[in-house]
Amino acid sequence: MAFNIAIDGPAGAGKSTIAKRVSGELGFVYVDTGAMYRAIGLYCVMNNIDISDESAVVGELENIDVDLKYIDGVQCVLLNGENVNGLIRTEEVSRAASVVSGYAPVRTYLVSKQQQIAKNTDLLMDGRDIGTVVLPEAPLKIYLTASSEERGKRRYLQLREKGEECDLAEIIKDIEERDYRDMHRENSPLKQADDAVLIDSSFMTIDEVVAEILRLVEERR
Ligand code: DC
């Protein structure tokens, strides 16, 4: 049986950094499901689909194929066969992904892909609904969070490092609004699965979080 690890939590909690480190240590595949929602958001942006019109977006699903491929261990998200990793991290695509991920048929399409991928592979999958919907039987579920102030500070430092002007209060406000949307949407809202282990990384280093997850893996395997 494949050993699946589910990691959920709000934006900016460090899920992808931690998940990459842990999967590297274990030799597991890392699946970033957010990239799949971003690929559908990108499709809508590129094809001028009105993302606020659910039936327009859903009607396009038959023209959309999202898949994952791994090159030297790095996840590449394929949109209709084309690697779009370089196009999915813009603000515009983030916004589009956030809207289209609220539509049930979009979720059904991607959840079934994700379940297919997880079937026979030891992996670590991160997202918002992995422990609750995608892999409810996963032997290890983590809910990784941190205070909005701490997540805001981390984002602020990242942007400053890139030389971008930004305002900390504004960033924290954005994060809190996004949390609210993720946690209150009708379809698969972000929430901790009953059997998930809560890790609050507000006052933990990356190394400490990684060590804690590796310890939990040893315990459950
Ligand atoms: O983790 P991320 O920011 O790359 O995710 C992009 C968007 O997709 C974000 O608005 C949350 C949504 N998402 C989701 O609804 N379910 C998932 N399993 C992963 C991401």
Side-chain angles (χ1 to χ4, degrees), residues 3-217:
F3 191 91
N4 295 157
I5 304 170
I7 301 193
D8 293 296
K15 293 190 297 293
S16 67
T17 306
I18 303 289
K20 274 183 204 151
R21 283 273 307 273
V22 173
S23 56
E25 294 276 342
L26 294 170
F28 279 24
V29 168
Y30 164 47
V31 179
D32 162 13
T33 61
M36 301 170 90
Y37 289 93
R38 286 171 181 273
I40 295 187
L42 173 68
Y43 177 93
C44 294
V45 169
M46 289 196 316
N47 293 280
N48 289 317
I49 312 297
D50 176 5
I51 51 168
S52 65
D53 181 346
E54 174 167 356
S55 58
V57 173
V58 170
E60 287 297 324
L61 282 177
E62 61 183 30
N63 303 319
I64 298 176
D65 181 50
V66 175
D67 222 330
L68 299 180
K69 175 170 94 173
Y70 288 83
I71 300 177
D72 297 331
V74 175
Q75 171 182 301
C76 299
V77 58
L78 305 180
L79 172 61
N80 293 335
E82 188 198 342
N83 178 354
V84 293
N85 272 14
L87 303 174
I88 58 173
R89 303 280 161 198
T90 65
E91 274 310 307
E92 191 180 20
V93 172
S94 298
R95 214 171 313 116
S98 164
V99 174
V100 301
S101 66
Y103 300 150
V106 169
R107 303 203 69 84
T108 306
Y109 167 66
L110 290 182
V111 166
S112 103
K113 290 250 165 194
Q114 291 153 8
Q115 289 173 331
Q116 211 58 39
I117 295 168
K119 224 175 203 170
N120 301 309
T121 309
D122 288 338
L123 54 72
L124 195 155
M125 189 177 274
D126 81 6
R128 305 292 191 285
D129 59 340
I130 311 305
T132 50
V133 177
V134 182
L135 305 174
E137 307 296 333
L140 177 59
K141 300 177 184 177
I142 308 286
Y143 190 83
L144 183 65
T145 189
S147 68
S148 53
E149 288 77 15
E150 187 55 37
R151 286 182 284 138
K153 266 190 234 158
R154 292 174 189 168
R155 180 83 188 129
Y156 175 82
L157 292 174
Q158 272 173 356
L159 290 171
R160 289 300 295 261
E161 222 164 76
K162 284 200 248 166
E164 289 180 33
E165 275 302 310
C166 53
D167 178 68
L168 179 59
E170 190 98 344
I171 294 175
I172 294 174
K173 185 167 150 265
D174 271 0
I175 285 181
E176 288 175 347
E177 281 171 5
R178 187 130 55 111
D179 285 356
Y180 187 88
R181 266 206 310 276
D182 278 353
M183 290 173 183
H184 293 85
R185 69 177 176 217
E186 192 180 339
N187 300 307
S188 306
L190 168 66
K191 70 170 195 256
Q192 185 181 342
D194 293 337
D195 52 350
V197 178
L198 173 69
I199 299 182
D200 183 336
S201 73
S202 300
F203 303 105
M204 291 170 84
T205 63
I206 293 172
D207 284 346
E208 285 169 339
V209 177
V210 169
E212 174 60 6
I213 298 177
L214 291 173
R215 191 189 65 73
L216 288 163
V217 173

